[in-house]
Amino acid sequence: MKIDILKTHGSYNDFILIDEYSNDYGLNDEQRTSLTRTLCDRCHSIGADGILFIQKSDKADARMRIFNSDGTEPEMCGNGLRIAGRYITELLGTDNAVVETQKANLNVQKTDSIYEDIQTYEVLIGPVSFDVSTLPVIHSENTLQNTVIPKLSPDLSFTAVSMPNPHIITLVNEIRENQVAKIGKKANEIKDVFPKGVNVSFVKDLGDSKIFVQTYERGVGITNSCGTAMSASSLITCLLGINHPEKEVTVLNNGGMVRCKVNPLEQGGYSVLLRGNATYVFTGTLDFDFSQPEKAEFYLEEEFPQEEESYLKLEAYAKNVL
Ligand SMILES: N[C@@H](CCC[C@H](N)C(=O)O)C(=O)O
C-alpha cells in the first residue's frame, strides 16, 4: 500500500505525520503500531520519536493521535500538537483550530515567530493535574511534591504531574545525560510505582525566567525535547517561586528553545501555553506491505531546506543564551 508521509520536528523532537484526514488508508491500530515501530527505527528506516496520525473528528476541527516510537499510544504530545496544529490549519485554510486529543479538545494557533522566520504555533496544554491517581503513581498521599522516591533515587526529589500524560520533574544544579537516561529507564521499570510508565525530566534554573530541561520520554528514551515536559517544568518552577506566571518562561533544550506561559485558571488549577516551532523537513511516499514491514520502501518527494536553515539560526541563538 502507498502512504504519503511528512517528516517534521518541534525543537528536534521529530515526528512522521500521516494524514488520515484527507486519505482513507483504512488503517487499524495494529497497523498503526507496525508502521510506527518500523518507520521510527533510526538504524533501518526514516527514524523519528513518534508518528502523528491526523484524523477527522466529530468533536473538533480534527483529531491528533500520537504513537511513541515503541508503538505505544500516549495521552498527549506538546511538540507534536504544534505540528498537527500547523498541518490542520494549513489544510483548513485557517489560523487556528481545535484539535481532539485523547483527553481533551485543545486550541492551536499560528502566532508570531519565536525567532526570525520560523513557523511558530502556540498550543494550550491541559488538563493539568497533581492528583497521583491521574498519572498514575502509587503513593501514600494524594499528591507527590518535591519528594524522594526511594526506589528511584536516594537523593533526588520529584514532583508528579499529568499534562495529561504522566511526568515527574526534578530540579538539579547540573544535568548529566547519563543520569537522566539511567533514572528515566529505571522509572519505567518500577511498575509498582508507575504502572503505566512516566516521562522523567531534569530541570536546571538558568535565572532571568530561563530554564534548561532534558527528558527521558516513556516509550522513546532520551529525546532532544518534550513539549509537555517543558510545560510541566515551567509550571513547577512557577509554583516553587523560581519563575512567575505573569512572565513567559524561556525553555532551552537540546533541540533549541520554546516559550511557556503558565495560566492560573479561575476555577483553580492551571493550563500552560506552549509556543514554539513547527518545522517541516521533507515529504515522501512509502510503499508498505504489512506482512513484510522490513521491506518498506521510501521515495523522497520534497525537502524544505529554507525551514531547516531558519531553524538552525534559532538553534545557534538558543546555544548562545546558555
Ligand atoms: N514528545 C511529547 C510527548 C510524547 C509522549 C510521551 N513520550 C509519553 O509517553 O507520554 C511532547 O512533546 O509532549
Side-chain angles (χ1 to χ4, degrees):
M1 123 184 249
K2 297 248 187 297
I3 299 177
D4 293 332
I5 68 135
L6 167 64
K7 182 76 194 294
T8 66
H9 75 84
S11 273
Y12 282 127
N13 190 196
D14 61 343
F15 304 96
I16 291 164
L17 184 149
I18 295 183
D19 176 358
E20 295 187 89
Y21 185 104
S22 320
N23 307 290
D24 185 7
Y25 294 122
L27 299 173
N28 60 36
D29 278 355
E30 201 183 315
Q31 292 173 323
R32 289 188 187 95
T33 303
S34 162
L35 269 170
T36 307
R37 289 200 184 128
T38 307
L39 302 182
C40 291
D41 182 339
R42 292 194 194 274
C43 298
H44 305 103
S45 188
I46 296 165
D49 293 327
I51 297 196
L52 305 169
F53 293 94
I54 306 302
Q55 302 174 339
K56 288 220 154 82
S57 166
D58 48 17
K59 301 183 187 126
D61 294 312
R63 179 179 181 204
M64 175 191 85
R65 290 180 70 188
I66 152 85
F67 280 58
N68 286 322
S69 58
D70 72 349
T72 54
E73 183 177 8
E75 302 82 348
M76 229 323 247
C77 176
N79 289 331
L81 187 60
R82 294 201 308 278
I83 292 154
R86 171 174 175 190
Y87 189 82
I88 293 162
T89 52
E90 286 182 356
L91 197 69
L92 303 178
T94 56
D95 273 348
N96 66 297
V98 178
V99 181
E100 177 187 344
T101 64
Q102 205 184 88
K103 294 269 161 81
N105 298 336
L106 299 168
N107 284 306
V108 295
Q109 172 131 12
K110 186 171 169 59
T111 188
D112 295 343
S113 189
I114 188 163
Y115 192 68
E116 296 161 21
D117 217 12
I118 303 275
Q119 287 281 344
T120 304
Y121 283 75
E122 62 185 23
V123 300
L124 200 62
I125 305 287
V128 173
S129 173
F130 288 93
D131 187 324
V132 291
S133 67
T134 61
L135 286 96
V137 43
I138 309 304
H139 184 56
S140 53
E141 289 162 41
N142 289 343
T143 61
L144 185 148
Q145 298 198 31
N146 223 6
T147 300
V148 170
I149 304 170
K151 282 196 177 168
L152 195 53
S153 156
D155 41 22
L156 295 169
S157 294
F158 291 91
T159 297
V161 59
S162 60
M163 300 299 289
N165 58 337
H167 290 268
I168 54 170
I169 312 285
T170 184
L171 239 94
V172 291
N173 292 329
E174 280 314 319
I175 298 180
R176 285 181 284 119
E177 182 166 315
N178 58 354
Q179 189 188 24
V180 183
K182 191 172 149 224
I183 299 279
K185 188 165 176 286
K186 197 163 172 194
N188 283 279
E189 286 165 358
I190 46 173
K191 296 290 181 209
D192 52 336
V193 183
F194 301 106
K196 292 189 177 163
V198 70
N199 299 288
V200 181
S201 295
F202 281 54
V203 181
K204 182 179 173 180
D205 176 31
L206 302 173
D208 197 20
S209 300
K210 295 187 190 75
I211 57 176
F212 188 94
V213 179
Q214 186 166 34
T215 305
Y216 179 101
E217 283 194 40
R218 173 182 68 166
V220 188
I222 293 274
T223 55
N224 286 317
S225 71
C226 170
T228 44
M230 295 186 287
S231 306
S233 305
S234 301
L235 171 59
I236 283 158
T237 57
C238 282
L239 296 179
L240 289 172
I242 295 168
N243 287 314
H244 307 283
E246 308 80 58
K247 210 168 168 206
E248 233 183 8
V249 180
T250 298
V251 187
L252 298 150
N253 57 61
N254 278 338
M257 156 189 106
V258 298
R259 295 214 156 97
C260 291
K261 174 88 177 55
V262 171
N263 296 322
L265 303 175
E266 262 177 35
Q267 66 271 29
Y270 301 89
S271 65
V272 181
L273 198 62
L274 166 70
R275 186 159 73 92
N277 74 302
T279 300
Y280 290 175
V281 187
F282 58 77
T283 62
T285 304
L286 277 172
D287 207 341
F288 201 90
D289 179 348
F290 285 98
S291 62
Q292 294 178 299
E294 70 290 348
K295 297 242 163 81
E297 300 272 4
F298 174 68
Y299 303 96
L300 182 69
E301 266 151 28
E302 187 185 357
E303 290 179 286
F304 301 91
Q306 195 57 57
E307 294 205 18
E308 263 317 276
E309 214 174 284
S310 299
Y311 194 77
L312 289 174
K313 288 185 193 153
L314 175 145
E315 217 195 352
Y317 167 80
K319 289 227 161 76
N320 250 338
V321 175
L322 273 176

